[in-house]
C-alpha cells in the first residue's frame, strides 16, 4: 500500500444538501420501504455485498480521503477503519437467515399447542444514521448502516462535515454502489442537521459528542423516536500493581497515538499506583522511543488534528495543565500549529480536578493521576460519569473481578486497548452520559428492528382447552384448580430444573402434545357444566 506522507491534497468543497430537499429525501426513503422492497432478504444481501464491493474496489480513494482529512496513514485507515466494516458485512451476510428468523418462546402448559414467537417485522420505515467528528469515519458511519440494511430498513445517512474528504468520498461511492431509492445521503452542518431532525424517523443513531447527543435526543423525543447514542466520554485506564508495565505502556501509547487520539474509545487518562510511577514512566519513555522515535513529527504514520479549532482547544488544554505546579511532560509535548500536529503526550503530576480532567480530551494528550491503591482508583471511577469503556491492566483474577463488579461502563477491555471494537459479536455501546443502545453483529440487527410478539391459536384444540376460562366454570373451585394446573408457575427444585434443561433439547412441539394430553385428561374428567 503506497505511502501518502509527502503527497498534497487539494481542498475539497463538500456540497451541502439543499434545505428544502431534505423532507423530500426522507419521504422518498420511506416510500421505498413501504413498497416492501427492503424487507426482501435477497435485496438485503445484494445491498450488503454492494457495500462490501464498494470498500473493496475503492480502498485507494478512501485511504486518500482519510489522509486528506487527518494525514492518516493508509495502513492505519485500512486496518482500523475499512477492514472492520468489511468483516462486519461478511458476518451479517453469512448469518442473515439465522439472525432474522422468528424465535419460539416457551409457554404455559395451557398454550402448549399454540404458536408463540417473536419476530423482527421491520417496522423501521425511516432509519437515520448521523456521524459527527473525525472518529474512524468509515467504521462509525458504515457499520451501523450495514446493520440497518441487514435489518431491512431504508436509511438516511447524515455524514460528518468535519471529515469533509471522507464525507465527499462516501457520498460519491454510496450513490454509485447502493440502491438510491432506499439509501440516501445528506451533507451539511448545523442548519441541515436541524432540518433533518425535524423529520419523523423510526430510529436515529448518532455518533459524536454529548452536547450534540442531547440535542438529537430532544429532537427525537418530540416524535417519541428511539435513539442509539454513541457519545464517548472520559475513558479511564487503571493500572494494577501486578500489571506488566512494559507491555502496558507500549499498548497504551499505541492506542493513544491511533488517529492522534481522536477516537471515542481512546484511553483518556491513567490511574496509577504512586509507588509504580517511576518504573511506569521509564516504560513509557522506552515505548515512545521504540514506536515514535525522538522526533515524532517526522514519523509518517502519525495522524494530525482534524482542524485548527480542535488544535487550539487541545493546545489550550495542554498549556493550562502544564501551568499547574508539579505537572511535567513525561514524553511528547511537541506541537506545530501550521501542521496541526500534536505528539502523543503523557503528563505526570496531574490532579483529579485539573484542566485535562474536566472534559473528554479527544486528542493525543494522556494525563496520569497517581493514587494510593486500586481501591482509590475504583472509587475515583465510580464517582465520575459512566465511561464508554474502562481499560484495566492486571494479572490477578481477583483484581479483574473486583473492577468488573464495582464499576460501571459501556465496555471493558483488560490488558489491551481499542481491539475489542474489532470483535464483531461483542456489543458496542455506552451507558448513561457515554451513550445508550448498542450494535455490532446480531446486536446491530436487533437495534434496528422491533421484536414483535406473535401468538397464533387454533380453532380446534384451543377452544377445548379454554373451557375453564368461561363462566360458570371459570369461577368455580374446580375451574380454579385447572387454571392453576395449566398456568400458575412454581419455583423449581433441583429435579425440576434438570427436567427443564432436558426439555430444551427436545422440539417444542413434542412438549406441546404432552401438555395437550395432560390438560385434555383433566378437562375431560368432567363436562363443562359439571365443573
Amino acid at each position: 500500500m503506497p505511502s501518502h506522507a509527502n503527497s498534497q491534497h487539494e481542498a475539497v468543497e463538500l456540497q451541502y444538501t439543499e434545505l428544502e430537499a431534505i423532507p423530500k429525501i426522507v419521504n422518498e426513503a420511506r416510500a421505498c420501504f413501504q413498497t416492501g422492497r427492503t424487507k426482501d432478504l435477497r435485496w438485503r444481501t445484494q445491498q450488503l455485498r454492494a457495500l462490501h464491493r464498494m470498500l473493496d474496489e475503492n480502498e485507494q480513494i478512501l485511504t486518500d480521503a482519510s489522509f486528506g482529512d487527518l494525514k492518516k496513514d493508509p495502513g492505519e485507515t485500512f486496518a482500523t477503519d475499512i477492514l472492520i466494516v468489511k468483516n462486519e458485512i461478511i458476518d451479517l451476510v453469512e448469518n442473515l437467515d439465522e439472525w432474522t428468523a422468528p424465535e419460539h418462546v416457551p409457554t404455559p402448559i395451557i398454550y402448549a399447542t399454540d404458536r408463540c414467537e417473536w419476530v423482527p417485522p421491520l417496522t423501521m420505515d425511516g432509519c437515520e444514521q448521523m456521524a459527527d467528528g473525525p472518529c474512524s469515519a468509515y467504521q462509525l458511519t458504515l457499520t451501523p448502516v450495514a446493520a440497518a440494511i441487514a435489518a431491512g430498513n431504508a436509511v438516511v445517512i447524515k455524514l460528518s462535515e468535519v471529515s469533509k474528504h471522507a464525507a465527499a468520498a462516501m457520498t460519491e461511492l454510496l450513490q454509485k454502489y447502493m440502491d438510491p431509492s432506499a439509501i440516501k445521503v445528506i451533507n451539511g452542518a448545523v442548519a441541515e442537521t436541524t432540518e433533518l431532525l425535524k423529520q419523523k424517523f423510526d430510529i436515529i443513531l448518532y455518533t459524536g459528542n454529548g452536547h450534540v447527543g442531547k440535542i438529537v435526543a430532544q429532537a427525537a423525543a418530540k416524535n417519541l423516536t428511539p435513539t442509539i447514542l454513541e457519545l464517548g466520554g472520559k475513558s479511564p485506564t487503571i493500572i494494577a500493581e501486578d500489571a506488566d508495565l512494559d507491555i502496558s505502556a507500549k499498548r497504551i501509547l499505541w492506542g493513544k497515538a491511533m488517529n492522534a487520539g481522536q477516537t471515542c474509545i481512546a484511553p483518556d487518562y491513567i490511574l496509577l499506583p504512586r509507588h509504580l510511577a517511576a518504573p511506569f514512566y521509564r516504560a513509557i519513555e522506552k515505548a515512545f522511543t521504540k514506536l515514535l522515535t525522538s522526533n515524532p513529527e517526522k514519523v509518517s504514520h502519525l495522524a494530525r488534528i482534524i482542524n485548527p479549532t480542535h488544535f487550539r482547544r487541545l493546545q489550550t488544554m495542554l498549556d493550562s495543565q502544564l501551568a499547574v505546579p508539579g505537572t511535567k511532560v513525561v514524553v511528547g509535548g511537541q506541537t506545530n500549529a501550521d501542521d496541526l500536529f500534536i505528539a502523543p503526550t503523557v503528563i505526570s503530576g496531574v490532579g483529579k480536578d485539573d484542566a485535562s480532567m474536566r472534559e473528554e480530551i479527544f486528542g493525543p494528550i494522556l494525563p496520569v493521576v497517581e493514587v494510593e491503591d486500586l481501591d482509590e482508583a475504583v472509587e475515583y471511577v465510580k464517582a465520575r460519569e459512566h465511561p464508554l469503556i474502562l481499560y484495566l491492566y492486571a494479572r490477578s483474577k481477583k483484581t479483574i473481578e473486583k473492577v468488573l463488579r464495582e464499576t460501571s461502563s459501556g465496555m471493558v477491555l483488560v490488558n489491551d486497548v481499542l481491539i475489542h471494537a474489532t470483535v464483531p459479536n461483542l456489543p458496542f455501546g455506552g451507558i448513561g452520559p457515554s451513550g445508550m443502545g448498542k450494535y455490532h453483529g446480531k446486536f446491530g440487527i436487533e437495534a434496528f428492528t422491533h421484536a414483535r410478539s406473535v401468538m397464533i391459536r387454533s380453532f380446534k384444540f384451543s377452544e377445548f382447552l379454554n373451557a375453564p376460562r368461561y363462566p360458570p366454570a371459570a369461577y368455580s373451585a374446580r375451574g380454579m384448580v385447572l387454571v392453576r394446573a395449566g398456568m400458575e408457575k412454581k419455583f423449581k427444585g433441583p429435579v425440576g430444573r434438570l427436567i427443564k434443561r432436558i426439555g430444551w433439547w427436545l422440539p417444542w412441539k413434542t412438549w406441546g402434545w404432552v401438555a395437550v394430553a395432560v390438560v385434555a385428561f383433566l378437562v375431560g374428567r368432567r363436562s363443562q357444566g359439571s365443573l
Side-chain angles (χ1 to χ4, degrees):
M1 194 175 293
S3 172
H4 299 240
N6 297 317
S7 63
Q8 296 293 323
H9 284 250
E10 297 180 0
V12 169
E13 289 297 329
L14 184 63
Q15 188 68 41
Y16 285 7
T17 305
E18 295 181 359
L19 289 176
E20 57 271 20
I22 291 176
K24 180 182 177 183
I25 291 171
V26 175
N27 288 334
E28 287 175 351
R30 180 171 291 109
C32 177
F33 176 86
Q34 291 173 346
T35 66
R37 183 176 185 176
T38 65
K39 298 180 182 180
D40 189 343
L41 285 177
R42 290 174 299 178
W43 180 89
R44 288 185 254 175
T45 301
Q46 290 168 356
Q47 292 303 300
L48 289 170
R49 288 184 177 276
L51 186 59
H52 188 278
R53 191 168 64 253
M54 182 192 91
L55 296 169
D56 204 42
E57 295 175 356
N58 298 280
E59 191 177 298
Q60 187 72 52
I61 292 174
L62 296 170
T63 55
D64 281 352
S66 284
F67 187 83
D69 287 326
L70 294 155
K71 288 191 176 180
K72 189 172 179 177
D73 184 84
E76 182 178 322
T77 298
F78 174 76
T80 65
D81 217 352
I82 297 173
L83 181 61
I84 292 174
V85 184
K86 291 173 68 176
N87 288 344
E88 181 84 10
I89 292 170
I90 289 175
D91 281 341
L92 288 169
V93 170
E94 291 182 345
N95 295 283
L96 193 59
D97 288 341
E98 177 186 347
W99 289 348
T100 59
E103 183 172 323
H104 297 290
V105 298
T107 62
I109 192 171
I110 196 70
Y111 303 130
T113 63
D114 302 321
R115 175 179 164 189
C116 295
E117 61 190 17
W118 65 264
V119 297
L122 310 174
T123 56
M124 306 297 188
D125 59 350
C127 170
E128 181 189 4
Q129 198 281 324
M130 303 173 62
D132 180 25
C135 181
S136 299
Y138 307 128
Q139 179 195 160
L140 292 182
T141 299
L142 299 179
T143 299
V145 166
I149 292 171
N153 296 284
V155 186
V156 178
I157 309 166
K158 163 60 177 70
L159 297 171
S160 172
E161 75 279 10
V162 176
S163 302
K164 59 183 181 179
H165 291 83
M170 282 191 284
T171 299
E172 179 181 351
L173 294 174
L174 286 167
Q175 292 172 346
K176 176 181 177 182
Y177 281 81
M178 308 303 292
D179 184 343
S181 62
I183 314 299
K184 303 288 189 178
V185 179
I186 289 176
N187 284 302
V190 175
E192 291 76 15
T193 301
T194 302
E195 180 63 31
L196 186 60
L197 288 172
K198 292 178 182 178
Q199 312 308 309
K200 188 177 186 306
F201 293 92
D202 285 295
I203 190 165
I204 298 173
L205 183 145
Y206 168 75
T207 298
N209 64 70
H211 173 71
V212 177
K214 292 178 181 179
I215 295 173
V216 171
Q218 289 171 355
K222 294 179 180 179
N223 291 313
L224 295 180
T225 300
T227 58
I228 302 171
L229 304 176
E230 197 280 281
L231 304 178
K234 293 189 74 65
S235 295
T237 296
I238 298 176
I239 297 179
E241 294 190 5
D242 62 345
D244 185 312
L245 296 184
D246 287 330
I247 294 177
S248 300
K250 185 178 181 181
R251 292 178 180 178
I252 292 168
L253 190 61
W254 171 83
K256 191 62 171 177
M258 191 71 65
N259 208 52
Q262 297 165 107
T263 63
C264 55
I265 54 174
D268 194 272
Y269 63 96
I270 294 175
L271 295 170
L272 175 72
R274 189 166 287 109
H275 69 277
L276 294 181
F280 178 74
Y281 295 145
R282 288 195 296 270
I284 280 285
E285 291 170 353
K286 178 182 175 182
F288 190 92
T289 302
K290 185 174 182 178
L291 297 176
L292 306 174
T293 76
S294 59
N295 190 1
E297 190 172 358
K298 299 299 181 181
V299 176
S300 62
H301 64 261
L302 279 181
R304 269 43 177 181
I305 306 305
I306 187 66
N307 58 36
T309 300
H310 282 282
F311 178 89
R312 288 191 294 270
R313 177 185 65 82
L314 290 167
Q315 183 71 71
T316 299
M317 180 186 294
L318 181 59
D319 292 342
S320 298
Q321 184 60 66
L322 293 177
V324 175
T327 300
K328 295 187 298 183
V329 171
V330 179
V331 292
Q334 302 92 332
T335 67
N336 184 341
D338 293 334
D339 194 27
L340 300 180
F341 174 79
I342 298 178
T345 302
V346 178
I347 308 171
S348 66
V350 176
K352 296 177 180 178
D353 299 313
D354 285 358
S356 61
M357 298 298 291
R358 295 171 191 159
E359 63 182 38
E360 181 181 7
I361 293 173
F362 207 73
I365 301 168
L366 185 59
V368 179
V369 177
E370 297 174 16
V371 294
E372 285 300 322
D373 53 24
L374 180 65
D375 287 335
E376 185 180 350
V378 167
E379 289 303 316
Y380 181 73
V381 172
K382 289 167 61 177
R384 300 172 70 89
E385 293 182 336
H386 300 319
L388 179 58
I389 183 163
L390 184 151
Y391 294 109
L392 169 65
Y393 292 82
R395 287 190 174 96
S396 167
K397 290 183 179 180
K398 184 177 179 181
T399 296
I400 295 171
E401 290 302 320
K402 173 183 172 64
V403 174
L404 292 176
R405 183 177 61 252
E406 297 185 14
T407 63
S408 295
S409 61
M411 300 167 284
V412 175
L413 177 55
V414 178
N415 294 334
D416 214 330
V417 63
L418 305 184
I419 63 167
H420 64 288
T422 68
V423 181
N425 294 319
L426 281 177
F428 186 97
I431 176 174
S434 62
M436 61 182 69
K438 55 187 179 295
Y439 62 98
H440 274 201
K442 185 180 181 181
F443 296 97
I445 291 180
E446 292 175 352
F448 290 105
T449 55
H450 167 68
R452 181 165 59 176
S453 300
V454 176
M455 183 177 184
I456 301 175
R457 307 209 71 194
S458 168
F459 282 122
K460 298 179 181 178
F461 289 102
S462 294
E463 197 63 13
F464 173 64
L465 297 175
N466 282 338
R469 85 180 189 187
Y470 297 117
Y475 308 114
S476 68
R478 187 70 176 180
M480 289 299 296
V481 169
L482 293 176
V483 169
R484 290 182 185 278
M487 296 190 66
E488 187 176 16
K489 291 186 176 181
K490 302 287 187 180
F491 289 109
K492 298 177 181 65
V495 175
R497 289 194 293 269
L498 177 61
I499 293 173
K500 182 179 180 180
R501 291 194 188 99
I502 296 173
W504 282 116
W505 298 346
L506 298 177
W508 71 279
K509 285 284 189 182
T510 301
W511 288 109
W513 287 112
V514 170
V516 168
V518 173
V519 175
F521 172 76
L522 294 173
V523 175
R525 292 181 64 182
R526 291 179 180 269
S527 66
Q528 187 172 344
S530 64
L531 291 173

